[in-house]
Amino acid sequence: SLVLGTGITISSNHWIMAWAGLEINTLAILPLIAQSHHPRAIEAATKYFLTQAAASTLMLFSSMTNAWYTGQWDIAQLTHPTSCLILTSAIAMKLGLVPFHFWFPEVLQGSPLTTGLLLSTIMKFPPMTLFYMTSHSLNPTLLTCMAISSAALGGWMGLNQTQIRKILAFSSITHLGWMTIIIAYNPKLTLLNFYLYILMTAATFLTLNTIKATKLSTLMTTWTKAPSLNAMLLLTLLSLAGLPPLTGFIPKWLIIQELTKQDMAPMATMISLLSLLGLFFYLRLAYCATITLPPHTTNHMKQWHTNKPTNTSIAILTTVSTLLLPI
């Protein structure tokens, strides 16, 4: 159902079809969030359902308003200003952009790591395609404001988190800010940023899933399980932060270049400085994963070294998410 809903939304030209695909997607992911029957998982599923249903309804409302005024049901021909405004907020709710970001860390914290991966990658794909198709008619000033505030809040709120899934949720919000700031000027860069973000996040989530770490204190002692995998996790995290020799720098570089071409150098400066906040919590994750050894008086048990070979997909994803730019 996930694949079907995503496929329907991505390939549709008509607003009703796009809406139907989004609804199928929402209903398909709910059992995956709530599968552990833990109260927090149920709460996460409920929060997810409410926000996504509200966002889908808003999207339907904006397209109906547009059809009412212009007679057009085509996605690419969204022209009425009120519709554009409502659609922007609907897509922001779908993706978890500031000021509609509050549900995302909570939902990610309540769901298992694999579902968290689905939520932060595949579930963002259909709204992203709608964003891409309507980007030429949305209000650039509003998008820029939302992008800057996403980068700021994603960075600030991630600073004092100890749960890894919440940290990854705030990193996702920051990345969405980078994608949003450029979508009105060069939507292809948004898609490039999104694809590379999917690669790096998938590598991170799958690595964490292998070593079964969900909070920073357990991450401290997991280096004995798979040392080489943890060493590569360091590089993947720095790539997510966007440090130059690694893959994560490509979209940042191109976006800053495009923004300066558009005479938006102050915005480029601001969003670059705000990405330093993100760098801080990625470095905290990296320190806990690889750079520091826990003291020997720790009350945590040392974990057994696993001799299982690393999953091929993790190996490929990690390699790609660190080495694309050097290659």
Side-chain angles (χ1 to χ4, degrees):
S1 293
L2 269 180
V3 175
L4 173 75
T6 310
I8 287 178
T9 305
I10 290 172
S11 55
S12 61
N13 284 318
H14 194 288
W15 274 114
I16 299 287
M17 286 299 287
W19 169 80
L22 287 171
E23 287 292 335
I24 294 172
N25 246 357
T26 304
L27 291 176
I29 195 85
L30 287 174
L32 288 174
I33 301 176
Q35 66 186 349
S36 66
H37 298 299
H38 189 275
R40 186 171 283 152
I42 308 292
E43 182 188 346
T46 314
K47 282 178 180 170
Y48 186 78
F49 172 72
L50 291 173
T51 48
Q52 298 300 306
S56 298
T57 315
L58 270 178
M59 207 195 77
L60 198 58
F61 177 55
S62 84
S63 52
M64 279 177 67
T65 315
N66 189 58
W68 181 262
Y69 278 103
T70 61
Q72 277 295 343
W73 277 104
D74 197 22
I75 293 183
Q77 294 180 349
L78 189 81
T79 47
H80 193 254
T82 314
S83 301
C84 294
L85 200 62
I86 297 172
L87 183 81
T88 310
S89 56
I91 288 181
M93 273 174 98
K94 276 273 172 208
L95 290 171
L97 271 170
V98 174
F100 306 105
H101 62 288
F102 292 100
W103 61 273
F104 190 53
E106 303 286 330
V107 170
L108 217 58
Q109 182 55 36
S111 49
L113 280 167
T114 38
T115 311
L117 171 62
L118 287 178
L119 276 172
S120 44
T121 55
I122 297 181
M123 297 307 288
K124 302 242 158 122
F125 198 38
M128 214 67 199
T129 49
L130 292 177
F131 214 12
Y132 179 81
M133 285 192 278
T134 54
S135 58
H136 51 85
S137 53
L138 302 177
N139 179 359
T141 321
L142 176 66
L143 289 178
T144 310
C145 290
M146 285 170 89
I148 297 281
S149 51
S150 290
L153 280 173
W156 270 316
M157 293 173 81
L159 287 183
N160 57 354
Q161 299 295 337
T162 54
Q163 300 285 345
I164 298 176
R165 281 167 295 188
K166 278 198 175 172
I167 292 182
L168 286 169
F170 288 118
S171 99
S172 178
I173 293 171
T174 314
H175 277 272
L176 281 170
W178 278 89
M179 291 174 223
T180 313
I181 199 166
I182 201 66
I183 196 157
Y185 308 105
N186 194 340
K188 285 195 171 58
L189 278 185
T190 301
L191 283 191
L192 172 78
N193 193 343
F194 185 56
Y195 295 145
L196 291 179
Y197 162 73
I198 285 183
L199 281 177
M200 297 182 289
T201 310
T204 313
F205 266 109
L206 290 172
T207 306
L208 291 170
N209 193 38
T210 308
I211 59 182
K212 295 281 179 288
T214 52
K215 54 181 189 288
L216 291 179
S217 54
T218 52
L219 193 61
M220 285 290 256
T221 53
T222 47
W223 63 273
T224 45
K225 259 192 185 180
S228 52
L229 192 59
N230 262 25
M232 284 310 283
L233 179 62
L234 162 76
L235 288 178
T236 314
L237 286 167
L238 293 181
S239 182
L240 261 175
L243 287 184
L246 306 166
T247 305
F249 184 56
I250 303 175
K252 286 190 166 42
W253 180 13
L254 293 173
I255 285 173
I256 290 172
Q257 191 179 338
E258 185 65 32
L259 283 175
T260 44
K261 278 184 195 165
Q262 300 283 349
D263 290 336
M264 291 175 66
M267 293 300 157
T269 315
M270 272 182 73
I271 201 164
S272 311
L273 287 173
L274 287 169
S275 72
L276 290 174
L277 293 167
L279 176 64
F280 180 83
F281 56 76
Y282 291 124
L283 272 179
R284 172 183 283 164
L285 273 173
Y287 261 87
C288 288
T290 36
I291 308 175
T292 50
L293 280 179
H296 288 299
T297 53
T298 174
N299 52 5
H300 281 295
M301 295 287 285
K302 284 277 187 292
Q303 311 238 359
W304 285 95
H305 185 100
T306 49
N307 282 327
K308 285 187 299 186
T310 305
N311 196 330
T312 322
S313 58
I314 300 182
I316 295 171
L317 279 168
T318 310
T319 313
V320 169
S321 62
T322 47
L323 291 180
L324 266 186
L325 184 56
I327 289 170

